[in-house]
Amino acid sequence: MEQWKPIDGGINAAMGFTSAGVEARLHYRGRPDIGLALCSTRASAAAVFTQNRCASPTIACDKERLAQTGGYARAVVVNAGNANAATGERGFADAKAMCDRAAEKLGIDPAETLVASTGVIGQFLPMDKTLNGINAAVDAVKQGGNELFSSAILTTDLVEKTSAVETIIDGKRTRIGGCAKGSGMIAPNMATMLAFISTDAAAAPEFLGQALRRAAAKTFNRMSVDGDCSTNDLALVMASGMSAQIESHTDAADAFEAGLERVCRDLAIQIARDGEGATALIEVTVNGARTEEEAETAARAVAESSLVKTAVYGKDANWGRILCALGYSGAQFDPKNVSLRLGDIELVKEGQPLHYSEEKASASLSEDPVRISADLGAGGGHAVFWTCDLTHGYIDINASYRS
Amino acid sequence: MEQWKPIDGGINAAMGFTSAGVEARLHYRGRPDIGLALCSTRASAAAVFTQNRCASPTIACDKERLAQTGGYARAVVVNAGNANAATGERGFADAKAMCDRAAEKLGIDPAETLVASTGVIGQFLPMDKTLNGINAAVDAVKQGGNELFSSAILTTDLVEKTSAVETIIDGKRTRIGGCAKGSGMIAPNMATMLAFISTDAAAAPEFLGQALRRAAAKTFNRMSVDGDCSTNDLALVMASGMSAQIESHTDAADAFEAGLERVCRDLAIQIARDGEGATALIEVTVNGARTEEEAETAARAVAESSLVKTAVYGKDANWGRILCALGYSGAQFDPKNVSLRLGDIELVKEGQPLHYSEEKASASLSEDPVRISADLGAGGGHAVFWTCDLTHGYIDINASYRS
């Protein structure tokens, strides 16, 4: 098979998908805040949802609809600026009303219309503005769409996050694309991460769900800005079925999963890089753990350590903090076998601190990404985790009053 | 039984204990950095140690000696400025040499001499200065001691942390006192927490160990500055046996444990209040969890949330962040039953957001301590957890270069 090649187009790259963003002034001014993505076919659909017990009613709404259809969808409507979370039954009714309005205006089955929200927790949606915005978004999509969907889903993000790739599977040009938002949770709680992925491959909902869960486990779930799992996290994939047929346990399935993981990783890294207040993207690699799970556990502990993240911000090659985080992570290893690197600089080799140039080590903290690597010397487990540094900017953003 | 009453004296309050601090210039200048505490009797002794896999050799040294003696000790020597961590076999030999020198100069059994270190990770102790400092500390103790032990164990702490209480048990005046250090881990890694507790009660090592583990579980283990469990954490209790006899499963045991927990809580709260860069002490109370364990889990998630901690710093009554942290904590509850308070202000009652005065809620974020309370409505589990806010000061301290 050919390699997947990057292409333009984001969520619109795959055949069958149109999207748009419009300004509804739910919370922001002068920027789109309602997005709508539509598939011209009845798309296979699968999603992974936040594990947060106080999940937004939008999550329950989508779970219910995907269960009702057996994993098919035509459209997803998204708003930014209000998370519709901690809003109880009224919030659930509002989420359904958003789907229903989009479905009615599009002339599609309401059960095949999904919803996502991100923004303020604990406030009801201004439904007049919201439904008017959905009307406008449907009109925009009917007129061929625009490039504003990936912008309409943002909250405190500084940049849009999009990715798309294509390859030939079984002789058919096949595309996977998407966009995401997320940069932390900001006053008063912009819910962290949304990702929308589209493909023109033809795949059953069950396979699509398995592939998305596997890809998310190695990408979205190995990325952290501040460790807070939000009330609204959602990754959704829709497959229009207009190109290659993907059956489980085939070469085509392997190829498809590689492409899906690539798009998810690309989006996850963009989210980490745009973390609130971030000045550096950090890539933590752990090799030599007993298992992949323990490698992930160890990498996560390093990536989520406030001390490691502030050391990167301060350009201080302070490897004691890395060792300390590995030590409390819960991964099993013997400190005598641990090796540490920062970029290409060896700091510790098999438990022995090495002499190294502080200047070079500090310089490696200005690389993009900053690469922290540990080998635990305990087995073959490997994992990579992405995060960003912890800075004055993060405090500025998150200590500022909501208004 | 009478209540425990606060008294002066810290670690020297209990009969039989003398201590001193001297300046050895291991890392700091113009302040004591080697401390020695001595018991005039062969004290029962018990300790709780860091769970960090990369623990300092001082931890292994103390475990070995307590196992050798069956839980007895005469003295503990402590240095600040160098953690003697990630120092391998040479570090272990250095730790033993510290004990041996103190024992030799004091004329006591080396097996009954313990050691603790806090400071830079990954550097060898300057042993000449260290052993000279121990000589001086022994001389000071022999001359009756001084008040500098609680100061000699500090690193980035801004204030000394001491506590002592007394009561009458079985007609005998009995005292428990101690001191602690800890305020975060600072470049390059001042190990987080040390606590030294002395009592003139008479208690078997086994009981003392059980009592310390129970007290630490509700105090030191329910306190966090930045969530990083250091390589050197240690809480040690020594009992001189000069006052009331404490047998397990008696009223005297209950009384003793109440006093021990009080001293541990007092020290834990002082540590949280003096967290690196802190401007506010935060007390998180969770009631109504299914179990005490789940209450602790939920309280810890709120207390360790960077978003909650920055909201307190910003005096923003941003309760969505609290709800979100409860939701991802892992504790089991129905969001419909959750109530939240900030100080005396009700924010959410049984899942329903309430109208409240933003002004009053914000004012409650200037109280000392800032009190965040949640009732999960799921059972009778209760826990209190202490932390501090996350501020520009934390970033300043931890992003600064080591030198």
Side-chain angles (χ1 to χ4, degrees):
Chain A
M1 187 201 104
E2 284 184 33
Q3 295 296 301
W4 289 93
K5 285 182 216 150
I7 55 172
D8 290 333
I11 193 171
N12 297 326
M15 279 188 291
F17 290 90
T18 329
S19 69
V22 299
E23 182 178 344
R25 299 193 164 206
L26 302 185
H27 181 83
Y28 300 108
R29 296 286 178 274
R31 49 154 286 193
D33 54 358
I34 285 196
L36 176 70
L38 177 70
C39 184
S40 61
T41 66
R42 187 169 183 255
S44 300
V48 290
F49 299 102
T50 180
Q51 302 296 308
N52 196 305
R53 189 163 285 273
C54 299
S56 159
T58 56
I59 300 294
C61 178
D62 290 346
K63 285 183 178 173
E64 188 177 283
R65 285 173 187 225
L66 284 171
Q68 193 181 338
T69 60
Y72 292 91
R74 288 289 309 274
V76 58
V77 58
V78 191
N79 77 276
N82 184 316
N84 190 11
T87 47
E89 290 179 15
R90 180 166 155 192
F92 189 65
D94 288 347
K96 288 204 288 189
M98 289 176 69
C99 295
D100 292 349
R101 173 61 62 95
E104 183 195 339
K105 284 274 293 179
L106 287 164
I108 62 175
D109 182 351
E112 293 176 357
T113 310
L114 303 174
V115 62
S117 296
T118 176
V120 178
I121 287 179
Q123 297 182 10
F124 295 114
L125 275 166
M127 286 305 288
D128 280 356
K129 285 185 187 175
T130 303
L131 296 178
N132 286 338
I134 292 172
N135 292 343
V138 170
D139 290 342
V141 160
K142 282 182 174 170
Q143 289 156 24
N146 56 40
E147 302 295 311
L148 300 176
F149 181 87
S150 58
S151 166
I153 66 176
L154 305 181
T155 56
T156 50
D157 306 62
L158 298 180
V159 297
E160 293 171 40
K161 293 143 187 94
T162 67
S163 177
V165 294
E166 69 172 19
T167 192
I168 310 288
I169 298 179
D170 295 340
K172 291 185 178 169
R173 186 167 303 276
T174 304
R175 301 161 194 87
I176 306 175
C179 61
K181 66 88 36 178
S183 110
M185 288 175 63
I186 185 163
N189 282 3
M190 302 302 168
T192 309
M193 199 207 82
L194 299 178
F196 303 97
I197 297 160
S198 57
T199 177
D200 39 31
E206 191 183 350
F207 168 76
L208 211 54
Q210 289 166 353
L212 180 62
R213 282 190 291 279
R214 280 192 284 261
K218 294 196 176 188
T219 57
F220 297 127
N221 293 342
R222 288 188 182 166
M223 174 267 298
S224 166
V225 171
D226 50 20
D228 280 49
C229 170
S230 98
T231 51
N232 290 48
D233 290 351
L234 165 73
L236 171 69
V237 58
M238 294 169 68
S240 69
M242 297 168 82
S243 66
Q245 181 73 35
I246 313 292
E247 302 285 353
S248 296
H249 308 297
T250 60
D251 288 350
D254 291 346
F256 177 81
E257 290 206 34
L260 183 63
E261 188 177 321
R262 175 163 165 174
V263 168
C264 292
R265 177 177 298 111
D266 197 9
L267 294 173
I269 289 173
Q270 291 179 56
I271 291 172
R273 185 190 295 281
D274 192 25
E276 286 175 347
T279 69
L281 172 69
I282 305 173
E283 182 182 275
V284 179
T285 303
V286 170
N287 292 310
R290 294 196 312 169
T291 62
E292 182 178 341
E293 289 67 34
E294 290 201 357
E296 178 176 339
T297 297
R300 178 187 300 275
V302 173
E304 294 191 345
S305 162
S306 293
L307 291 165
V308 171
K309 288 154 68 87
T310 47
V312 171
Y313 178 47
K315 309 271 182 247
D316 179 8
N318 198 337
W319 60 264
R321 296 181 180 183
I322 301 167
L323 193 78
C324 180
L326 293 170
Y328 66 67
S329 68
Q332 307 282 306
F333 64 91
D334 186 332
K336 285 179 193 148
N337 299 329
V338 171
S339 300
L340 292 182
R341 279 172 179 271
L342 201 55
D344 298 320
I345 317 279
E346 282 193 295
L347 303 177
V348 177
K349 186 157 191 178
E350 292 172 5
Q352 294 302 316
L354 300 178
H355 291 281
Y356 61 88
S357 153
E358 284 280 354
E359 199 178 337
K360 284 184 188 170
S362 184
S364 74
L365 288 164
S366 298
E367 289 172 8
D368 180 29
V370 172
R371 288 169 295 135
I372 296 172
S373 315
D375 191 314
L376 303 184
H382 163 83
V384 183
F385 204 101
W386 295 275
T387 188
C388 56
D389 55 347
L390 175 59
T391 71
H392 285 112
Y394 181 87
I395 307 289
D396 285 337
I397 293 169
N398 286 300
S400 68
Y401 197 76
R402 277 163 292 171
S403 57
Chain B
M1 188 201 104
E2 283 184 35
Q3 295 296 303
W4 289 94
K5 286 183 217 150
I7 56 172
D8 291 334
I11 195 172
N12 297 328
M15 280 188 291
F17 290 91
T18 330
S19 69
V22 300
E23 182 177 345
R25 300 193 164 206
L26 303 185
H27 180 84
Y28 300 107
R29 295 287 178 276
R31 47 153 287 189
D33 54 359
I34 286 195
L36 176 71
L38 177 69
C39 185
S40 61
T41 67
R42 187 171 182 253
S44 301
V48 291
F49 299 102
T50 180
Q51 303 295 307
N52 196 304
R53 189 161 285 273
C54 300
S56 158
T58 56
I59 300 293
C61 177
D62 289 346
K63 285 182 177 172
E64 187 176 282
R65 285 173 187 226
L66 284 171
Q68 192 181 340
T69 61
Y72 292 90
R74 288 289 308 276
V76 57
V77 59
V78 191
N79 77 276
N82 185 315
N84 190 11
T87 47
E89 289 180 16
R90 179 166 156 194
F92 190 65
D94 288 346
K96 289 203 288 190
M98 288 176 70
C99 294
D100 292 350
R101 173 61 62 94
E104 181 194 340
K105 283 275 294 180
L106 286 163
I108 62 175
D109 183 352
E112 294 177 357
T113 308
L114 304 175
V115 63
S117 297
T118 176
V120 179
I121 288 180
Q123 297 182 10
F124 295 114
L125 276 165
M127 286 306 288
D128 279 356
K129 286 184 188 177
T130 303
L131 296 178
N132 286 338
I134 293 171
N135 292 344
V138 170
D139 290 341
V141 160
K142 282 182 173 170
Q143 289 156 25
N146 57 40
E147 302 295 312
L148 299 177
F149 181 87
S150 57
S151 167
I153 65 177
L154 305 182
T155 55
T156 51
D157 307 63
L158 299 179
V159 297
E160 294 171 39
K161 292 144 187 93
T162 67
S163 176
V165 293
E166 71 172 18
T167 191
I168 309 290
I169 297 179
D170 295 339
K172 290 184 179 170
R173 186 167 303 275
T174 304
R175 300 162 195 86
I176 306 175
C179 61
K181 66 87 37 178
S183 112
M185 289 176 61
I186 185 162
N189 282 4
M190 302 304 168
T192 310
M193 200 206 81
L194 300 178
F196 303 97
I197 296 160
S198 57
T199 177
D200 39 31
E206 191 183 351
F207 169 77
L208 212 54
Q210 290 165 352
L212 180 62
R213 282 189 289 279
R214 280 192 285 261
K218 295 196 176 189
T219 58
F220 298 127
N221 293 342
R222 290 188 181 165
M223 174 267 298
S224 166
V225 171
D226 50 20
D228 280 49
C229 171
S230 99
T231 52
N232 290 48
D233 289 352
L234 166 74
L236 171 70
V237 57
M238 295 171 66
S240 69
M242 298 169 79
S243 64
Q245 181 73 36
I246 313 291
E247 302 286 353
S248 295
H249 308 297
T250 60
D251 289 348
D254 291 345
F256 177 80
E257 289 206 35
L260 182 63
E261 187 177 319
R262 176 163 165 173
V263 168
C264 291
R265 177 177 298 110
D266 197 9
L267 294 173
I269 289 174
Q270 291 178 58
I271 290 171
R273 185 190 296 281
D274 193 25
E276 284 174 348
T279 68
L281 172 68
I282 305 173
E283 181 183 277
V284 179
T285 303
V286 171
N287 293 309
R290 293 197 313 171
T291 62
E292 182 177 340
E293 289 66 35
E294 290 202 357
E296 179 176 338
T297 297
R300 178 186 300 274
V302 173
E304 294 190 344
S305 162
S306 293
L307 290 165
V308 171
K309 289 154 67 88
T310 47
V312 171
Y313 178 46
K315 309 273 182 246
D316 179 8
N318 198 338
W319 60 264
R321 296 180 180 182
I322 301 167
L323 193 76
C324 179
L326 294 170
Y328 66 67
S329 67
Q332 306 283 306
F333 63 90
D334 186 332
K336 285 180 192 148
N337 299 329
V338 172
S339 301
L340 292 181
R341 279 173 180 270
L342 201 55
D344 297 321
I345 318 277
E346 282 192 294
L347 302 177
V348 176
K349 185 156 189 177
E350 291 171 7
Q352 294 303 314
L354 301 178
H355 292 282
Y356 60 89
S357 153
E358 284 281 355
E359 198 177 337
K360 283 185 187 169
S362 182
S364 74
L365 288 163
S366 297
E367 289 173 8
D368 180 29
V370 173
R371 287 169 294 136
I372 296 172
S373 314
D375 191 312
L376 303 185
H382 163 84
V384 183
F385 204 100
W386 296 274
T387 188
C388 57
D389 56 346
L390 175 59
T391 71
H392 285 111
Y394 181 87
I395 307 289
D396 285 338
I397 292 168
N398 286 299
S400 69
Y401 198 75
R402 276 164 294 171
S403 57

